[in-house]
Amino acid sequence: MPVTDPRPHTGEPVSLDLLNTRWMREGERQDLLTDTEGLAVWLAANGLDGRFAADEATLRHTRAAREALKALVDRPGDPGAIAGVDAVLEHGRIRVLLSADGPGERAEFADPAWGPAWTAARDYLDLLRTAPDRIRTCAHEACILHFFDTSRNGTRRWHSMATCGNRAKASRHYARTKDQ
């Protein structure tokens, strides 16, 4: 029986979804990538399960990519963080091709175990090209989730208004009424 994804927030671009394999629940840090079963859940959530194996090598490389991306999100422009993402990107390349459908591209890897890690790192580059200012960490102080702000005006603050946004508003309301 397939394991359901236990994470509170999914559906972000693959790079941010990789970062969201760690989250907080009742003050305790959770981690989906503690074993190959969790990796299989993440691969399936991102449509990568048919292309890559959920084995120990893939898990190790995917966790390395997560650390590199986290460092870059926390310290944009930091040479060490940039080098970490570049090190992941060294394990794959894009091959341009022409098919019956027209021009295209295909990712290639010397070692397929690097495929998910490289895919997430490449996706992050795409986000940086598109709108780097919309790559966000949830503004709630107890949340560690990330999101790509697709709101019209680009002012989204929480990964979810229903959870973190509502908690922040409730905290502010409580603080105001407590002092009265």
Side-chain angles (χ1 to χ4, degrees):
M1 183 163 90
V3 177
T4 58
D5 196 331
R7 298 176 296 154
H9 184 65
T10 59
E12 292 296 331
V14 68
S15 57
L16 300 181
D17 197 66
L18 178 56
L19 292 175
N20 290 343
T21 57
R22 284 192 284 219
W23 69 96
M24 299 298 285
R25 182 186 302 140
E26 298 175 8
E28 296 287 324
R29 184 181 292 254
Q30 308 295 308
D31 188 347
L32 183 64
L33 300 182
T34 58
D35 55 29
T36 56
E37 187 174 282
L39 174 63
V41 169
W42 182 77
L43 290 171
N46 288 281
L48 300 172
D49 53 334
R51 295 171 45 204
F52 304 107
D55 58 23
E56 289 296 328
T58 305
L59 177 63
R60 187 173 53 257
H61 301 323
T62 303
R63 285 196 299 226
R66 180 177 65 180
E67 294 309 314
L69 289 170
K70 178 73 172 121
L72 194 56
V73 166
D74 289 347
R75 301 182 316 272
D78 177 76
I82 291 169
V85 172
D86 279 347
V88 173
L89 291 168
E90 287 288 325
H91 295 278
R93 68 180 182 149
I94 293 293
R95 175 178 292 275
V96 293
L97 53 93
L98 181 60
S99 70
D101 298 327
E105 334 183 301
R106 181 179 61 229
E108 292 184 343
F109 315 99
D111 177 358
W114 277 99
W118 183 90
T119 300
R122 171 116 195 283
D123 176 73
Y124 194 76
L125 296 184
D126 291 341
L127 295 180
L128 288 174
R129 272 196 267 326
T130 304
D133 57 322
R134 291 192 174 224
I135 299 168
R136 307 262 169 81
T137 302
C138 185
H140 193 280
E141 67 275 354
C143 186
I144 61 172
L145 295 173
H146 298 81
F147 62 94
F148 188 70
D149 183 0
T150 57
S151 69
R152 190 172 178 168
N153 60 5
T155 58
R156 185 172 150 200
R157 297 180 56 211
W158 301 285
H159 81 273
S160 167
M161 186 62 200
T163 55
C164 287
N166 195 36
R167 286 184 198 132
K169 287 183 176 190
S171 294
R172 285 193 306 268
H173 175 74
Y174 175 76
R176 279 194 310 271
T177 58
K178 186 179 116 184
D179 293 339
Q180 293 178 355

